Amino acid sequence: MILAGMFVLGCLLGCAGTGGAGLTIALLTVGYAVPIHTAIAVSLSCMTFTVLSGTISHYREGEVILKLGLTTGAAGITGALAGTHMAFMIPSELLSPATAVMLLLTTALFYVQLFHSHLIADFVARNQKTATGFAYYLRCCMIGLMTGMLSGAFGIGATAFIQISLMLFFGVSLYQAIGTTMLIIFPIAATGGLSYLFSGMLDPYVFVQTLAGLTVGSFIGAKFTHLIPKEKLRYIMISMPLIGGLALLTH
């Protein structure tokens, strides 16, 4: 049943072009009664594989800034370790609504990024000029630590947080932000997944079904992306974390 559900979810995510970590967690916990800690462990572990293929694809398109991605991702490893250990200490009844809130914040960030990018244009231009020397590495470390902690604690990937941070504090384009974010998430997701694995919270049976369903479903769903008008696609993208957050919040 998990395999079938993740296949359908994968088709939707592949069609919309989103990662869907939040919806994965919501489906596992709400739909299949998987404990929240296990659901986060599975989500992070699956992201390790999905973002790797995405990083390679974006790199070939010239949309990955290696120095920025590697530096921020390295800092994110420490953040992910801190985040997972923080999650271990949070009771399930509190971790679930906390994850829901993070997904709703993700929705808000996607909304600004996709519909009101002009609101941050001046700020982006100013920071682009100052992102050099010590300030450059300081920003990389701060963004890596913060987003790594969010990913490790809530298993959401922190895609929206990373993308908008790269745009705000380094002045990169949207396409470069998307590609570079994939590279940053890879070591964060791998570290978080291994941390949950060594803690005994990763269920291999659920993990294999989830990864297989999402992988096959996303591959098929991606073939239908071009059939959706861009205007509607933006609404679909922000609806994904919104649905996941509301599902967890009302569960």
Side-chain angles (χ1 to χ4, degrees):
M1 290 299 293
I2 292 178
L3 178 63
M6 288 302 165
F7 172 76
V8 174
L9 178 59
C11 288
L12 294 174
L13 297 176
C15 190
T18 58
L23 268 179
T24 301
I25 295 172
L27 180 58
L28 287 174
T29 55
V30 178
Y32 299 105
V34 174
I36 183 67
H37 288 91
T38 301
I40 291 175
V42 170
S43 174
L44 276 173
S45 301
C46 288
M47 274 196 295
T48 304
F49 295 92
T50 56
V51 300
L52 177 59
S53 60
T55 300
I56 295 172
S57 177
H58 282 288
Y59 179 76
R60 289 174 176 173
E61 296 295 326
E63 296 168 351
V64 176
I65 305 174
L66 281 177
K67 179 183 176 182
L68 179 58
L70 292 173
T71 305
T72 308
I77 292 174
T78 302
L81 286 172
T84 53
H85 283 82
M86 182 174 67
F88 297 160
M89 296 183 290
I90 301 176
S92 299
E93 59 269 19
L94 296 179
L95 186 57
S96 186
T99 301
V101 171
M102 295 308 302
L103 289 172
L104 296 179
L105 287 175
T106 298
T107 303
L109 288 178
F110 270 138
Y111 178 75
V112 172
Q113 183 176 311
L114 293 172
F115 292 90
H116 296 286
S117 58
H118 63 281
L119 296 176
I120 61 174
D122 291 339
F123 190 84
V124 169
R126 288 197 302 271
N127 278 304
Q128 186 177 28
K129 298 176 183 178
T130 60
T132 57
F134 177 75
Y136 179 91
Y137 290 102
L138 179 61
R139 293 176 189 181
C140 286
C141 290
M142 292 300 294
I143 293 171
L145 286 171
M146 293 296 293
T147 56
M149 188 176 295
L150 291 176
S151 294
F154 306 108
I156 59 172
T159 301
F161 295 89
I162 298 174
Q163 286 180 7
I164 201 164
S165 294
L166 295 183
M167 295 170 67
L168 284 174
F169 297 105
F170 295 95
V172 303
S173 67
L174 176 59
Y175 288 111
Q176 287 180 320
I178 292 172
T180 306
T181 294
M182 289 281 187
L183 176 57
I184 293 171
I185 291 177
F186 176 67
I188 291 175
T191 301
L194 287 172
S195 184
Y196 276 100
L197 174 64
F198 292 144
S199 71
M201 294 185 181
L202 178 63
D203 187 322
Y205 181 70
V206 176
F207 165 69
V208 170
Q209 289 192 82
T210 301
L211 181 61
L214 289 177
T215 301
V216 177
S218 295
F219 179 79
I220 295 174
K223 297 182 180 297
F224 297 93
T225 301
H226 67 282
L227 299 178
I228 304 175
K230 290 184 179 180
E231 195 63 30
K232 291 184 179 180
L233 190 60
R234 292 194 296 174
Y235 287 100
I236 295 175
M237 289 177 66
I238 65 171
S239 71
M240 295 297 181
L242 177 61
I243 293 172
L246 292 176
L248 284 173
L249 202 59
T250 58
H251 176 56

